[in-house]
Amino acid sequence: MARSALITGITGQDGAYLAEFLIKKGYTVHGIKRRSSLLNTDRIDHLYQDPHVEKRNLILHYGDLSDSMNVTRIIQESQPDEIYNLGAMSHVKVSFDIPEYTANTDGIGTLRILEAVRLLGMISKTRIYQASTSELYGLVQEIPQTEKTSFYPRSPYAVAKLYSYWITVNYREAYGLHASNGILFNHESPIRGETFVSRKITRALARIALGMQDILYMGNLSSRRDWGHAKDYIKAMYLILQQDKPDDYVIATGISTEVREFIRNAFAFIGVDIAFFGENLEETGVMKAVDENLFCEKVGEAHLSDIKNRMKNNPVFVKVDPVYFRPTEVDFLLGDSSKARKILGWSPEYDLDGLIADMVTSDMILMKKEHYIKEGGYKTLNYFE
Ligand code: NAP
Ligand code: F7E
C-alpha cells in the first residue's frame, strides 16, 4: 500500500516542495491548509486534484495548528505514516508584533500534534519531523553551530521554536515516539515568501532592472546567514524520517555570507557591479558599472539604455531604513552539517550562486509579466473603476 504523509504548512515554501517530492515517491500526501479570504494555494496548485478524482495523491484539509480538536481529527482520519510539522508563523521580525500567536502556533502547535499521535495510539505507526531552526542558536555560543551547540534564542519566534524542539525530544524519550528535529539553516527559493531578505532582494533587483522601482530599503546589511536552497533541504527532512532511529540533525551549507554580499552577488548575476558607501543609517548601495552583454542576456536589450542613464544620473539604489531592524538581532549563523552528511548521506546540490541564479531568473520572468501588464500590454479588469 502507498505510504501516507501529513504535511502541516503545505501551502508554504517547504511544504510545497516536500509535497511534490513525496508524491513523486508514490506517497499519498495529506495537507493542512488554513481558511483565508483569498486562495492561498498558489504554491501547490500544480499538484491539486479535484475531490472527484478516485485515487487522489494530494488531499487537503482545512485546519489550524491552534485548534487541537481539528489537528487530532485530521490525524485520525488521514492515519499518516509520517507527519512533517512545517506549519508556523515563520517570520522572525513579525514574531515581535504577534508574540502570543507565534507561541501558540509555533510552540503549542507542535505539542498538539505529538499529543494527538499519543492519544490516538499511533506511536508505533507514525513518525514525526519537527521543523526546528538555526534561529535557536541566536546569540551564537560557538562557531560553527552543531547539534551540540547551546541554544540562545533571540526572538519570540525562536523561543516558541525552542519549546517545540524540546517537547519533540521529550516525547521521543518519554513515550518512544519516532520524533526528530531538523535544525535547518536559512533556505530560500523562487517561491520564498516575498518579505524574507533573499526574495525581497531578488524581486527588487528585477524591478530596478526593468525601471519599475527606484530604491531598495534594507535593514541590517551586516547580518550573516548560511543560505541554502529549499529543494535540497526538503530532501533532508525526508531522509531524517527514513532512519531506523529518531535523532536531531543540523542541515546547512557550511558557508556564511553577509546580506550586503548577497545583494552584490545578485546584481553581479545580471551584469551590474555595485559598491557600498557610508556607515549605519547613512550606508548606501551604488551602481558602478554594467557588463552590457550580460545585462542584455539576463534582462534584455530594451532596458540597457535606461539602466545606463540611471547609473549616470542617479546611481544610489540601496538605502537603510531602521523600520527593518529587529529589537534583538541574530548577527551570525554558520552551520556544521557533518552529522547529516555522514549518517543521512545528505549534501546540498546548490551553492549560493546557484540559488541566486534560480531566484533572480524566476523573478525576472515574474516582473516582466507585471511590467507588461503595467505598460498596458494586457488588459485587466479593474474592479474599482
Ligand atoms: P512559510 O513559507 O512561511 O510557510 C509556513 C506555513 O505554515 C504556511 O503554509 C502557512 O500557511 C502555515 N501556517 C502558518 N500559521 C499556521 C497555523 N496557525 N496553522 C496551520 N498552518 C499555519 O515557511 P517555510 O519557509 O516553508 O518554513 C517551513 C517551516 O520550517 C516553518 O515551521 C519554519 O518556521 C521552519 N524553518 C524555516 C526555515 C527557512 O529558512 N525557510 C529554516 C528553519 C526552519 P499560509 O500559507 O496560510 O500562511
Ligand atoms: O532575515 C536581515 C535580517 O527575514 C535574514 C526564517 O525562515 O530563517 C528565516 O529567518 C537577515 C536578518 O530570515 C532586511 O535582520 C536586513 O538578520 O530573511 P530573513 P531570518 O530572520 O534569518 C530562519 C532559519 C527561520 O527559521 C525563519 O523561519 O537579513 N535583513 N534587511 C532583513 N531581513 C528582512 N526580512 N528584510 C529586510 O529588509
Side-chain angles (χ1 to χ4, degrees):
M1 212 170 88
R3 292 181 68 71
S4 67
L6 171 65
I7 304 177
T8 73
I10 195 166
T11 55
Q13 170 188 257
D14 293 3
Y17 281 124
L18 181 66
E20 184 170 340
F21 177 81
L22 292 177
I23 286 171
K24 281 194 185 139
K25 287 217 168 284
Y27 277 65
T28 302
V29 172
H30 294 261
I32 297 186
K33 69 164 176 172
R34 298 193 290 172
R35 193 272 158 181
S36 57
S37 66
L38 288 171
L39 291 178
N40 62 351
T41 51
D42 281 18
R43 292 182 175 113
I44 49 168
D45 280 348
H46 62 296
L47 303 171
Y48 180 77
Q49 288 168 319
D50 192 89
H52 301 105
V53 171
E54 206 177 309
K55 279 196 180 141
R56 280 188 292 163
N57 49 24
L58 176 68
I59 301 162
L60 297 179
H61 307 256
Y62 278 112
D64 199 293
L65 283 164
S66 62
D67 182 335
S68 33
M69 280 195 271
N70 163 267
V71 166
T72 308
R73 179 179 56 73
I74 292 171
I75 293 175
Q76 185 180 33
E77 282 176 11
S78 57
Q79 290 287 310
D81 299 304
E82 297 169 8
I83 297 178
Y84 295 87
N85 183 30
L86 312 184
M89 201 309 288
S90 72
H91 202 284
V92 172
K93 171 89 166 54
V94 175
S95 77
F96 288 95
D97 300 326
I98 46 172
E100 182 184 341
Y101 173 77
T102 305
N104 192 5
T105 304
D106 301 15
I108 306 300
T110 306
L111 174 68
R112 293 186 178 106
I113 288 175
L114 294 163
E115 192 60 358
V117 168
R118 187 174 81 87
L119 294 177
L120 291 168
M122 293 169 66
I123 285 179
S124 58
K125 172 179 171 63
T126 306
R127 298 180 172 193
I128 299 177
Y129 171 87
Q130 170 54 25
S132 285
T133 165
S134 51
E135 285 295 299
L136 295 173
Y137 299 117
L139 188 63
V140 296
Q141 303 294 297
E142 190 181 24
I143 297 172
Q145 294 88 52
T146 73
E147 293 79 4
K148 295 200 168 81
T149 304
S150 305
F151 297 138
Y152 194 139
R154 293 269 281 175
S155 63
Y157 167 78
V159 174
K161 285 281 187 177
L162 184 75
Y163 175 83
S164 281
Y165 174 91
W166 282 116
I167 200 69
T168 300
V169 172
N170 182 245
Y171 269 59
R172 177 166 82 214
E173 293 175 352
Y175 304 117
L177 232 86
H178 193 297
S180 303
N181 286 288
I183 309 172
L184 271 51
F185 282 61
N186 298 52
H187 47 280
E188 323 291 314
S189 73
I191 56 167
R192 181 62 146 153
E194 291 89 345
T195 59
F196 295 99
V197 77
S198 62
R199 187 77 197 289
K200 179 172 166 176
I201 293 166
T202 58
R203 266 171 61 93
L205 172 154
R207 294 173 65 84
I208 289 168
L210 296 171
M212 298 165 74
Q213 181 174 331
D214 277 343
I215 302 290
L216 165 61
Y217 288 97
M218 298 292 302
N220 182 2
L221 291 164
S222 301
S223 280
R224 300 181 73 97
R225 288 291 181 274
D226 181 329
W227 276 295
H229 198 303
K231 276 190 185 168
D232 284 329
Y233 285 42
I234 56 103
K235 290 181 190 158
M237 298 176 186
Y238 167 76
L239 289 171
I240 288 171
L241 288 201
Q242 307 319 304
Q243 304 309 302
D244 289 339
K245 272 180 51 199
D247 205 345
D248 309 316
Y249 297 90
V250 163
I251 305 296
T253 67
I255 294 170
S256 185
T257 308
E258 247 183 23
V259 171
R260 209 178 270 112
E261 206 52 33
F262 190 108
I263 302 176
R264 204 193 312 275
N265 292 353
F267 276 81
F269 178 75
I270 59 162
V272 177
D273 186 23
I274 65 164
F276 288 90
F277 296 100
E279 278 179 27
N280 305 321
L281 292 177
E282 302 308 318
E283 183 165 358
T284 54
V286 172
M287 297 189 207
K288 284 197 330 186
V290 61
D291 173 331
E292 297 191 8
N293 289 335
L294 194 53
F295 188 86
C296 290
E297 183 199 325
K298 302 294 182 195
V299 182
E301 203 176 337
H303 302 280
L304 183 61
S305 61
D306 284 350
I307 203 82
K308 282 167 73 179
N309 280 338
R310 166 91 208 252
M311 215 167 276
K312 208 163 113 203
N313 303 318
N314 183 20
V316 172
F317 75 101
V318 175
K319 289 186 180 175
V320 174
D321 186 337
V323 79
Y324 298 112
F325 291 165
R326 292 146 192 218
T328 39
E329 175 63 286
V330 172
D331 293 311
F332 180 92
L333 290 172
L334 173 66
D336 175 353
S337 58
S338 308
K339 179 176 167 185
R341 289 172 198 245
K342 186 165 167 235
I343 297 174
L344 306 177
W346 176 85
S347 62
E349 282 173 27
Y350 284 83
D351 62 8
L352 186 64
D353 284 343
L355 170 68
I356 285 175
D358 200 18
M359 293 181 72
V360 172
T361 305
S362 167
D363 274 333
M364 281 308 311
I365 294 169
L366 279 179
M367 291 308 143
K368 274 185 182 170
K369 277 191 202 153
E370 212 177 274
H371 184 257
Y372 183 57
I373 291 169
K374 213 171 141 215
E375 297 297 302
Y378 178 75
K379 201 136 186 59
T380 48
L381 286 175
N382 185 346
Y383 294 102
F384 300 104
E385 256 171 14

